[in-house]
Amino acid sequence: MRDIRRQSAEVGVCIVGTGFLGRIHSVGRTWKLDADERRSVLAELRENLKPVVAYAGERGVRVGVEPLNRYETSLLNTVEQALDALPAECGLALDTYHLNIEERSPAQAVRDAGSRIALIQVCGTDRGAPGSDHFDWTAFAAAVKDADYTGPLVIESFTPDNTTIATAASIRRPLAAGQDELATSGLAFLRTL
């Protein structure tokens, strides 16, 4: 992963239950890849992920890679790209924020990811509470059901009060009256689905 590590500005992951999930590729680095460079970088990513995925699997931990929007990386932006690029044993961590930007149909992307889904992160299209936005949550919930995903929906949001995170996520205004309000209103909305 030499090249990918060198090109990466940050790598963030979360552990949920028995999963190691998130931004584990080329975050904060956007560059135009020609076809040969894309093949080379993806081959390197795939080869370097194989032992990580195998090691984690032997210990009952699932690795899930998160496709990110084009403003955060040039490497894996869509579910289709991730499915094509990653070892079959590697899961996907889906995030409604990124799905909303990159997928023509976020619901279809969830269906396409199917059994490869390791985690789903949810937030509003502005990174605020789910349900307080224009996202088609009804179609999304139906797709999650169609994909037979029964894991957690994790509300992921940010606050301008944490300078490091606010800068990394370009959060320059409050997304709710407070983080507790964001979490409780988001959870209340998700339960209606």
Side-chain angles (χ1 to χ4, degrees):
M1 247 189 186
R2 171 188 39 80
D3 291 334
I4 293 167
R5 283 189 187 142
R6 185 177 64 238
Q7 295 168 351
S8 178
E10 75 175 76
V11 175
V13 297
C14 63
I15 306 295
V16 177
T18 57
F20 178 75
L21 314 146
R23 305 162 166 245
I24 51 181
H25 67 90
S26 189
V27 177
R29 176 73 164 89
T30 58
W31 71 105
K32 184 168 174 58
L33 293 165
D34 64 34
D36 290 337
E37 185 180 14
R38 176 170 284 284
R39 274 191 295 279
S40 174
V41 170
L42 289 175
E44 187 175 5
L45 173 66
R46 195 170 22 259
E47 285 306 307
N48 285 292
L49 272 175
K50 283 181 183 177
V52 172
V53 171
Y55 181 85
E58 290 166 3
R59 285 150 184 82
V61 174
R62 186 166 191 203
V63 174
V65 174
E66 182 177 358
L68 302 170
N69 73 72
R70 70 191 88 172
Y71 308 110
E72 296 184 36
T73 185
S74 300
L75 198 55
L76 299 177
N77 305 120
T78 66
V79 166
E80 180 181 18
Q81 287 175 329
L83 291 172
D84 288 344
L86 300 172
E89 304 78 28
C90 188
L92 299 181
L94 302 183
D95 184 322
T96 58
Y97 179 78
H98 302 292
L99 292 171
N100 178 63
I101 294 171
E102 294 299 335
E103 302 291 350
R104 290 188 177 158
S105 169
Q108 188 57 52
V110 169
R111 286 183 185 93
D112 292 344
S115 65
R116 299 275 298 271
I117 301 172
L119 177 73
I120 297 178
Q121 298 170 333
V122 296
C123 68
T125 54
D126 64 348
R127 289 203 192 257
S132 63
D133 61 337
H134 68 264
F135 194 73
D136 189 345
W137 290 101
T138 303
F140 174 77
V144 169
K145 184 177 180 179
D146 291 347
D148 292 326
Y149 177 74
T150 58
L153 297 180
V154 177
I155 296 176
E156 179 190 50
S157 189
F158 302 90
T159 175
D161 299 331
N162 180 313
T163 305
T164 302
I165 292 173
T167 300
S170 298
I171 303 300
R172 294 171 179 78
R173 60 181 170 76
L175 300 173
Q179 293 307 100
D180 288 345
E181 186 276 328
L182 189 148
T184 55
S185 66
L187 178 60
F189 171 75
L190 291 172
R191 286 183 171 153
T192 68
L193 298 175

